[in-house]
Amino acid sequence: MNDKIAIIYWSGTGNTEVMAQNVQKGIESAGGESDIFSVSSFDIGNIDNYSKLALGCPAMGEEVLEESEFQPFYDSIKGNLSGKKVVLFGSYDWGDGEWMRIWQDDISSSGASLVKDGLITNLAPDDKAADECKSLGEALLKA
């Protein structure tokens, strides 16, 4: 397996999509390449072509992953995460990031290696959050 990177995200309002684009910019500015997909356009059969994943999903409802598209996608790839290097990101409106802490624990228990703590931003990413996304992408590239 090579060091191919996939950035896979779900975004309802566009905030998490902007975060995904900034993760990709961070990878590219550090000299790497990545493939970026909305969750609905990613072919699950290709998951093993990637050794590194950046997964993005906002907090929904009671601080959970988006349930109609992202959660089923995540459940379907969870068995293939062992040995992969992963970063997580997403936006939220309220709460304290509980969904991200739960997701991080779940990623770790799948056998994947979490490169950095999950990155969360309140609503639309500002310049600071955009820079944090770029740093997250760079960390994934170098992991």
Side-chain angles (χ1 to χ4, degrees), residues 40-135:
S40 61
S41 68
F42 184 77
D43 180 349
I44 294 168
N46 289 331
I47 195 70
D48 289 332
N49 295 337
Y50 297 94
S51 61
K52 298 179 179 182
L53 301 172
L55 301 175
C57 186
M60 305 293 286
E62 303 273 331
E63 285 208 72
V64 296
L65 295 173
E66 191 277 328
E67 295 172 299
S68 66
E69 284 187 81
F70 197 88
Q71 186 70 55
F73 158 78
Y74 175 65
D75 290 342
S76 73
I77 67 164
K78 202 164 19 174
N80 299 75
L81 294 179
S82 184
K84 294 188 188 298
K85 294 178 177 161
V86 178
V87 295
L88 304 174
F89 61 92
S91 66
Y92 67 100
D93 187 359
W94 60 272
D96 69 354
E98 180 183 17
W99 103 100
M100 186 59 73
R101 292 190 298 276
I102 292 168
W103 195 12
Q104 288 179 160
D105 290 345
D106 198 58
I107 285 283
S108 295
S109 68
S110 75
S113 173
L114 201 57
V115 174
K116 286 182 85 169
D117 284 344
L119 176 60
I120 62 174
T121 189
N122 186 249
L123 300 173
D126 58 13
D127 290 346
K128 179 178 180 282
D131 287 344
E132 289 171 344
C133 290
K134 291 171 188 170
S135 294

Side-chain angles (χ1 to χ4, degrees), residues 6-60:
I7 303 165
I8 308 165
Y9 68 91
W10 185 92
S11 189
T13 62
N15 294 338
T16 301
E17 181 177 15
V18 169
M19 293 179 79
Q21 291 165 348
N22 279 297
V23 169
Q24 187 174 45
K25 286 177 187 171
I27 291 166
E28 290 172 352
S29 69
E33 294 181 12
S34 60
D35 299 326
I36 189 167
F37 305 93
S38 65
V39 72
S40 61
S41 68
F42 184 77
D43 180 349
I44 294 168
N46 289 331
I47 195 70
D48 289 332
N49 295 337
Y50 297 94
S51 61
K52 298 179 179 182
L53 301 172
L55 301 175
C57 186
M60 305 293 286

